[in-house]
Amino acid sequence: MSDPVQKPDTPYNFAYLDEQTKRMIRRAILKAVAIPGYQVPFASREMPMPYGWGTGGVQVTAAVIGPDDVLKVIDQGADDTTNAVSIRAFFAKTARVATTTRTEAATIIQTRHRVPEMPLTESQILVYQVPIPEPLRFLEPRETETRVMHALQEYGLMHVKLYEDIARHGHIATTYAYPVKVEGRYVMDPSPIPKFDNPKLTNSPALQLFGAGREKRIYALPPFTKVESLDFEDHPFEVQRFCEPCGLCGATGVYLDEVILDDKGGRMFVCSDSDYCEGRREEGHRGHLAGALAGAAEAGE
Amino acid sequence: MYVAVKGGEKAIANAHRLLAERRRGNPGVPALSVDQILEQLSLAVDRVMGEGSLYDRRLAALAIKQARGDLVEAIFLLRAYRTTLPRFGASLPVDTGAMLVERRISATFKDLPGGQLLGPTFDYTHRLLDPDLEGEGEAEPAEAGADPGEGPLARVTDLLGEAGLIEADPDGEAEPADLTREPLSFPAGRELRLQALARGDEGFLLALGYSTQRGYARSHPFAAEIRMGEVEIEIEVPGLDFAVPLGRLTVTECQMVNQFKGSASAPPQFTRGYGLVFGHAERKAMAMALCDRALRAAELGEEETAPAQDAEFVLSHADNVQATGFVEHLKLPHYVDFQAELDLLRRLRAEHEAREAGKEQREAAE
């Protein structure tokens, strides 16, 4: 870790938290890395943004960030959604670090609900904001119970739930926050990313850290960890597929957001990962609606 | 339009400017000073201090001003500030028996040593709106009543305790747990529960306490004593063989006594529910005492049937800063997950329609 730098023109310590608190969080992170998928309790602090708005991710980022880091923050895959803007501004102000919207330029990426489309590298850390870290919570509301279930690897209830989905709907009706098993041991909530992103978790060269501030838990996937989405032999795990490419950049095989264009049922699909989409357009890729939208954007400004 | 979700940075800055304008209100009306809030909205200040877990009246008043009078927002501001403060030690337990009492009432004894001291209370006021307060008239000064006499006022529960009619206060030699430094885990000891209740949401505890009165974990409470006043706070300094006073706090303490028929190991005696809150916060202290007693169900061998007796339920949901954050986070964009649900729903509907269509065809063929 680099030495903290106290800037004289801000009354707060580097990255807001005091050094003792950051050490406490780093100890929790180290334990989490040592036991992949295990939820480590930590003494989460009150942050100047509300619980549920990324306080866990912010604390994890604050604990691992150094003055030379380059930070990217995304929410729903986009850099310019309001909460991503707010968190990026927070670190730009309290840690004076460089920020970027380009995935490949970032050393730390804090995210809510998405994994970037571009594969990550060994020199990157992906920090997830987690609302409910306990994958068993909606099956068993008591923490005292779920901790025992994890300790005994009693995950039958989860399989029963998935099986009931299939019996009732013909499909597993979980589309996001789809539970995974880490290195054959702990069942883990990958945070509410669409299950489309689940395959990106396994064997990733990047360190993946998960912070849940309100629930006071940190967990981790060290680089090159095996992560399997729960499924059945006759109902293997599947990701969402979209029937049309991105309207702006023409990308396929990426996660798309549906955008309603008018009140007559007009809609288009665009990349959820705004940086990926922009990168492709810079390279000259054009989707079937790119022209129409550029005109509308200009008219709107 | 897709462009509408872009340009967040500028929109946020503008929204915050508008907020500042709305907070100030009509500039033709003089701005509220922090001193005015401190002096004239003192019960709001007390609530923010208590649930903000930071004893600083001036900062609490500032937070109320900044939050436009939204007390939960003000509590949040104070908590976020509190995070940045270093901790340099733990005080000795305060002695509420030595309190400089401003108000002290007991509902269990008509008269008692030191008497009943009403102090500044809404009790027995008729809740009639007072048009005179529209003006800026001065209140008539209150007459100084009879001096309660020299020396501290004995606590009612201590008077009962001498006769062995009430359970003894547990000895607190061990270092108390601190949920602001350690994550809350279950089962939580009583000191940890009390800490969580002391900074818990007044409305939540009020409703839970009320539920125990209406039969969800009925515990037959009596307000043995409610007292409010100043207590001295002291700290032990290494190298000194006496405690050093740091200053004074105003606190409200509520001791409820509850019927207890006894168990295999304990004789029949009154049991206690305890509430202690910063400032003048009687409703909160009483609700806290009811909840504390309800949460002792397991310890006293009572049947656990009601929400107020369930420590995991109560403590996990009592904190309004956590609750407001998570409820309000639903305002954040969720369109990635919503898209995933939309996709699934369309698929299920398509399959449903195909099945229905198949059924009709079969029926037509028959």
Side-chain angles (χ1 to χ4, degrees):
Chain A
M1 296 290 161
S2 349
D3 283 330
V5 183
Q6 181 79 52
K7 299 283 180 184
D9 53 347
T10 155
Y12 296 109
N13 194 35
F14 178 80
Y16 189 76
L17 293 172
D18 61 280
E19 294 306 309
Q20 286 305 327
T21 299
K22 284 195 261 183
R23 271 184 208 120
M24 174 272 293
I25 297 171
R26 284 177 203 141
R27 279 195 292 271
I29 292 172
L30 288 175
K31 181 168 178 183
V33 167
I35 318 172
Y38 171 75
Q39 301 167 51
V40 182
F42 82 111
S44 174
R45 298 288 192 256
E46 259 115 7
M47 299 302 285
M49 55 278 286
Y51 282 121
W53 296 53
T55 55
V58 166
Q59 289 180 79
V60 168
T61 298
V64 298
I65 203 166
D68 302 328
D69 274 309
V70 180
L71 179 69
K72 171 181 164 84
V73 184
I74 50 174
D75 187 334
Q76 314 293 302
D79 298 89
D80 52 5
T81 35
T82 44
N83 204 42
V85 168
S86 162
I87 291 171
R88 189 165 58 243
F90 175 74
F91 282 110
K93 188 170 163 184
T94 60
R96 299 297 199 84
V97 292
T99 59
T100 184
T101 59
R102 285 173 48 234
T103 301
E104 70 273 23
T107 57
I108 299 174
I109 302 171
Q110 182 170 328
T111 180
R112 179 169 168 265
H113 295 186
R114 274 313 308 279
V115 179
E117 302 291 357
M118 181 177 288
L120 302 177
T121 68
E122 284 170 35
S123 54
Q124 292 178 310
I125 301 176
L126 185 59
V127 179
Y128 294 78
Q129 300 171 200
V130 182
I132 305 269
E134 178 51 70
L136 306 169
R137 179 63 67 238
F138 300 107
L139 306 170
E140 168 52 61
R142 278 174 199 283
E143 180 70 11
T144 38
E145 292 292 326
T146 52
R147 284 186 81 79
V148 171
M149 289 161 78
H150 281 294
L152 302 176
Q153 273 188 276
E154 258 185 34
Y155 296 131
L157 205 54
M158 181 64 93
H159 280 103
V160 170
K161 191 256 167 200
L162 298 178
Y163 171 75
E164 282 179 352
D165 274 3
I166 294 170
R168 199 171 300 157
H169 310 293
H171 305 277
I172 291 175
T174 302
T175 56
Y176 60 92
Y178 190 103
V180 296
K181 195 162 209 184
V182 180
E183 288 290 346
R185 176 59 180 87
Y186 285 101
V187 166
M188 183 191 100
D189 181 330
S191 89
I193 57 173
K195 67 178 179 179
F196 179 89
D197 283 339
N198 274 23
K200 296 175 188 160
L201 267 61
T202 193
N203 222 21
S204 170
L207 170 62
Q208 302 174 79
L209 303 174
F210 298 77
R214 195 177 39 78
E215 300 280 340
K216 302 180 169 47
R217 296 290 184 273
I218 285 172
Y219 52 102
L221 296 172
F224 304 107
T225 299
K226 191 170 101 181
V227 180
E228 299 159 289
S229 301
L230 299 184
D231 63 358
F232 299 97
E233 270 173 29
D234 51 346
H235 276 271
F237 174 77
E238 277 181 351
V239 299
Q240 291 102 333
R241 261 183 248 108
F242 292 87
C243 49
E244 56 179 282
C246 169
L248 296 178
C249 76
T252 54
V254 296
Y255 197 76
L256 301 177
D257 287 332
E258 184 171 333
V259 179
I260 296 175
L261 295 174
D262 51 39
D263 56 3
K264 298 176 190 70
R267 51 170 62 93
M268 69 182 290
F269 287 87
V270 293
C271 287
S272 142
D273 185 335
S274 57
D275 171 61
Y276 182 79
C277 194
E278 273 159 37
R280 277 181 54 87
R281 275 178 282 152
E282 273 164 27
E283 286 166 14
H285 297 280
R286 285 285 174 274
H288 58 292
L289 287 166
L293 205 83
E298 272 159 33
E301 269 167 20
Chain B
M1 216 31 237
Y2 186 55
V3 284
V5 299
K6 302 282 165 185
E9 212 143 347
K10 212 164 128 192
I12 292 176
N14 274 332
H16 290 172
R17 270 199 294 277
L18 183 60
L19 172 71
E21 203 181 293
R22 288 290 155 84
R23 187 193 61 67
R24 177 59 184 87
N26 181 355
V29 176
L32 200 56
S33 75
V34 170
D35 281 321
Q36 284 171 332
I37 297 171
L38 204 58
E39 293 299 324
Q40 296 171 39
L41 298 178
S42 61
L43 297 183
V45 169
D46 284 350
R47 177 168 176 201
V48 170
M49 269 192 337
E51 291 169 36
S53 304
L54 184 68
Y55 195 94
D56 190 317
R57 299 186 61 81
R58 200 165 182 88
L59 286 181
L62 175 66
I64 291 170
K65 178 173 176 175
Q66 190 177 329
R68 305 173 68 192
D70 179 339
L71 297 191
V72 174
E73 179 69 22
I75 289 160
F76 180 18
L77 284 168
L78 210 58
R79 289 265 192 98
Y81 174 73
R82 183 187 188 281
T83 294
T84 67
L85 300 177
R87 163 165 312 211
F88 57 86
S91 76
L92 293 170
V94 295
D95 180 7
T96 53
M99 177 187 283
L100 208 60
V101 171
E102 196 179 352
R103 169 168 166 79
R104 182 268 206 124
I105 54 163
S106 169
T108 50
F109 294 100
K110 185 172 183 189
D111 201 7
L112 63 165
Q116 309 261 13
L117 284 172
L118 288 186
T121 178
F122 288 119
D123 299 349
Y124 318 113
T125 61
H126 293 145
R127 269 62 169 201
L128 303 171
L129 276 176
D130 180 1
D132 291 349
L133 285 178
E134 278 270 1
E136 295 190 2
E138 296 298 317
E140 256 178 62
E143 258 175 61
D147 193 343
E150 288 297 301
L153 286 183
R155 286 180 295 210
V156 173
T157 45
D158 294 344
L159 302 174
L160 274 171
E162 279 168 22
L165 291 174
I166 190 164
E167 60 174 341
D169 256 335
D171 286 328
E173 289 302 313
E175 177 90 0
D178 183 350
L179 64 84
T180 70
R181 298 283 138 166
E182 292 294 328
L184 185 61
S185 61
F186 299 99
R190 189 174 177 204
E191 85 281 13
L192 202 60
R193 298 199 304 256
L194 286 169
Q195 188 191 2
L197 295 178
R199 58 197 248 131
D201 182 72
E202 178 175 313
F204 180 72
L205 299 187
L206 180 66
L208 277 177
Y210 177 46
S211 74
T212 68
Q213 288 181 287
R214 288 195 65 261
Y216 291 84
R218 175 132 178 83
S219 59
H220 308 276
F222 296 96
E225 186 181 80
I226 294 158
R227 57 167 61 198
M228 183 271 291
E230 286 191 338
V231 291
E232 189 146 73
I233 190 146
E234 295 178 320
I235 190 166
E236 267 174 355
V237 179
L240 294 180
D241 52 6
F242 54 91
V244 179
L246 279 182
R248 290 176 165 279
L249 306 178
T250 296
V251 295
T252 306
E253 182 187 56
C254 173
Q255 299 249 16
M256 292 280 180
V257 299
N258 307 71
Q259 200 184 73
F260 181 55
K261 296 191 181 77
S263 67
S265 55
Q269 61 183 170
F270 287 120
T271 54
R272 300 168 189 250
Y274 188 72
L276 183 73
V277 191
F278 282 159
H280 190 184
E282 225 159 277
R283 184 187 303 121
K284 168 76 182 280
M286 294 177 76
M288 177 176 169
L290 290 175
C291 290
D292 171 48
R293 178 59 183 77
L295 290 173
R296 297 181 61 206
E299 168 200 341
L300 296 168
E302 294 167 335
E303 202 185 348
E304 289 172 76
T305 54
Q309 295 168 306
D310 183 338
E312 196 168 338
F313 177 78
V314 174
L315 303 192
S316 302
H317 303 112
D319 191 294
N320 55 22
V321 177
Q322 288 175 6
T324 195
F326 202 49
V327 167
E328 293 197 46
H329 110 283
L330 294 172
K331 292 184 280 192
L332 288 178
H334 281 82
Y335 39 79
V336 163
D337 296 343
F338 188 71
Q339 185 64 51
E341 293 287 87
L342 211 54
D343 177 65
L344 175 71
L345 196 59
R346 283 186 182 134
R347 230 164 77 188
L348 292 177
R349 284 182 67 92
E351 286 168 8
H352 176 78
E353 277 159 25
R355 266 199 311 276
E356 291 295 307
K359 226 187 281 174
E360 273 168 34
Q361 269 173 6
R362 274 197 306 279
E363 277 166 16
E366 274 164 14

